[in-house]
Amino acid sequence: MRPNTRLWLSSFLSAAALFSAPLGGAQQTTTAIPQANFAYDVTKESVVQGTVVSYSGASSTAPIGPHAKIQTASGVVDVHLGNAEALKQNDVFLAPGDSVSIVGENETFGGAPVFLARILRKGNQTVTLRNLKGVPVIAKAAANAKARRIGGGAQ
């Protein structure tokens, strides 16, 4: 083969490999993550009052995030508390035995009922965990947080 033909052939094969790589990724299967099919409606809100049985700051079951089991007069309710950072910033910590009142809405995630907390009251503390559309609030950056410099590479 002549050198130009060899160069052209290797360039063609390299280009073919690059363009076919995304097609190979299309063959992969994905695992379904339980999704919520709900629209939060403040007119359907109710109040859950009871005692904290357990608290988890990071649940692996949907919806992901902090959950509390609340013992009410009608049984134990699984409550999703939105964003764990929002609880920390407001110095709200839940422990077994704490008495709470929670405004929110019942929904179903992955076939299991869960109460989506919008407002949490513990003693004289009140914290808003979701907006009126049911979206968990995002923790605010601390006002006195130090600026971080991300370094890397040659300097």
Side-chain angles (χ1 to χ4, degrees), residues 7-32:
L7 180 63
W8 181 84
L9 183 59
S10 65
S11 296
F12 175 77
L13 291 175
S14 296
L18 284 172
F19 287 117
S20 64
L23 298 176
Q27 303 291 325
Q28 297 175 355
T29 59
T30 58
T31 304

Side-chain angles (χ1 to χ4, degrees), residues 52-103:
V52 176
V53 175
S54 66
Y55 172 77
S56 170
S59 173
S60 60
T61 59
I64 305 286
H67 281 250
K69 301 280 187 190
I70 307 298
Q71 179 67 54
T72 68
S74 59
V76 177
V77 178
D78 180 19
V79 178
H80 182 262
L81 298 164
N83 183 341
E85 289 300 315
L87 290 169
K88 287 179 189 175
Q89 278 190 348
N90 288 288
D91 292 327
V92 176
F93 303 98
L94 298 179
D98 288 346
S99 181
V100 294
S101 176
I102 303 168
V103 176

Side-chain angles (χ1 to χ4, degrees), residues 110-129:
V114 66
F115 191 79
L116 302 177
R118 189 170 69 81
I119 299 172
L120 169 68
R121 291 184 183 99
K122 176 187 165 193
N124 62 358
Q125 296 176 301
T126 299
V127 110
T128 299
L129 302 171

